[in-house]
Amino acid sequence: MQLRRRPLPAPGPGDPHPAAELCALLLLLALQGAVAAPGGPERSGWRQDAELPRGLLPQAARAALHFFNFRAGSPSALRALADVQEGRAWINQKKEYKVDLVFTTELYDSEEGKERLGKCSARVFFRNEKPRPAINVTCTRLIEKKKRQEEDYQLYKHMKQLKNLLDVDSIPDSHGHIEPSLRPIWDLAFLGSSYVMWEKTTQFLHYYMAQLSSVKQWKTNDDAIDFDYTVLLHEFSTQEMIPCRIHLVWYPGKPLKVKYHCQELQTPEEASGTEAASAVAPAELNNF
């Protein structure tokens, strides 16, 4: 016996159209997918932290600026933190923090006054107490690119034309003074130290370049500026001064090259985790 298919009844005046039902179902599935999509704040146990740990936002801003200064590679455009304007953070079961924030910056060279350089927005990922937070940072451009390039090139030209290669000690001097002729060297050293300070930063540890103990420039066969220096980094949480030997290779407009070794002051047990590092998110340097 052959079965005959009965046609579906036509929708009545008050019945929903099948196409409308299908669209509603697809929309519901899409919304459910959006909630579960990767990157959402609740993904993998992330939850927004209503009570931010003390100092977390300025700590994230400092880490973002260290990374930004290093990646920019310009001693003429160094930025310092002015104010954190807003921020929020998420925490997961591993006590890792993901921080979104907006902050203002100013010229690093205090001798030129506290001129504001606009705003930066950043996402900083602290992997618990491990160093080298992942950074994604974007800053507005308020320094003219041509001016910055000219100032960098003038510094480069000056250092290349020196009759005697640099070999100096103790910047600043015992009175905290930096000779104007040595200020560019300090800025270049700070540029390289920004990489070191970013790599050593954790959720709880932050650093500041306190003194250049020595600087020695090397003669090279290529066009780059090449020098070694020893720097004292002030570790704020412990108030220790950490000596670091840094090798810097710089050429205007090209990525900075940095190698370093720091004398760890912790015991071997405490320092055993310092080799681990979180993955680096690509930086967005929109103002360059």
Side-chain angles (χ1 to χ4, degrees):
M1 178 178 178
Q2 185 177 4
L3 296 175
R4 298 178 61 184
R5 293 184 178 179
R6 299 179 61 184
L8 293 173
D15 296 335
H17 194 279
E21 291 181 345
L22 179 59
C23 288
L25 177 60
L26 292 175
L27 179 59
L28 177 61
L29 292 174
L31 290 174
Q32 290 175 343
V35 172
E42 300 299 329
R43 179 177 178 262
S44 301
W46 288 98
R47 61 176 175 81
Q48 190 165 355
D49 193 356
E51 297 183 5
L52 294 177
R54 183 181 178 183
L56 180 64
L57 294 183
Q59 176 75 338
R62 284 187 291 262
L65 269 183
H66 286 323
F67 184 67
F68 181 90
N69 284 331
F70 159 67
R71 287 290 298 270
S74 170
S76 303
L78 287 172
R79 296 172 182 248
L81 179 62
D83 298 299
V84 177
Q85 294 192 325
E86 59 181 284
R88 54 182 179 171
W90 291 268
I91 187 173
N92 63 13
Q93 295 177 348
K94 298 180 181 179
K95 303 299 182 182
E96 298 170 326
Y97 274 94
K98 180 169 56 178
V99 184
D100 287 348
L101 72 159
V102 176
F103 55 92
T104 57
T105 64
E106 59 195 17
L107 282 173
Y108 172 72
D109 191 347
S110 60
E111 294 181 4
E112 297 184 16
K114 299 296 184 181
E115 180 182 347
R116 293 300 170 96
L117 294 180
K119 292 183 180 180
C120 298
S121 59
R123 168 165 287 188
V124 180
F125 177 56
F126 290 110
R127 185 169 292 182
N128 205 341
E129 298 185 29
K130 295 181 180 179
R132 201 172 183 252
I135 308 288
N136 195 306
V137 58
T138 304
C139 295
T140 56
R141 182 181 68 185
L142 291 182
I143 290 183
E144 184 182 353
K145 183 177 181 180
K146 183 178 180 181
K147 177 183 177 182
R148 173 179 58 82
Q149 290 175 334
E150 288 176 351
E151 291 180 358
D152 285 349
Y153 182 73
Q154 288 300 320
L155 169 59
Y156 168 80
K157 184 178 178 181
H158 169 73
M159 295 189 68
K160 274 296 185 180
Q161 291 178 344
L162 290 175
K163 294 182 179 180
N164 298 316
L165 296 177
L166 287 172
D167 191 355
V168 295
D169 299 319
S170 299
I171 308 174
D173 59 23
S174 57
H175 302 287
H177 177 67
I178 300 177
E179 290 290 338
S181 61
L182 297 177
R183 182 72 204 200
I185 306 305
W186 174 273
D187 290 345
L188 266 177
F190 186 86
L191 195 62
S193 299
S194 294
Y195 174 79
V196 181
M197 291 186 285
W198 160 61
E199 282 224 325
K200 294 180 70 61
T201 293
T202 72
Q203 178 186 333
F204 304 103
L205 299 177
H206 74 275
Y207 300 82
Y208 190 80
M209 193 176 87
Q211 187 180 45
L212 275 172
S213 300
S214 63
V215 180
K216 184 174 180 61
Q217 184 180 358
W218 298 101
K219 186 175 182 179
T220 61
N221 295 325
D222 56 19
D223 294 330
I225 301 295
D226 193 323
F227 64 97
D228 291 319
Y229 61 96
T230 301
V231 65
L232 293 179
L233 297 183
H234 182 191
E235 185 180 84
F236 276 78
S237 60
T238 63
Q239 300 302 316
E240 298 283 0
M241 291 292 182
I242 301 179
C244 295
R245 296 178 61 187
I246 301 175
H247 181 78
L248 178 68
V249 178
W250 175 69
Y251 184 85
K254 291 187 177 181
L256 203 64
K257 296 180 180 179
V258 179
K259 293 183 179 180
Y260 72 96
H261 174 75
C262 294
Q263 179 181 330
E264 298 294 344
L265 302 181
Q266 300 98 332
T267 64
E269 290 79 9
E270 292 173 328
S272 61
T274 58
E275 292 298 323
S278 53
V280 183
E284 298 178 10
L285 304 183
N286 288 354
N287 61 326
F288 290 96

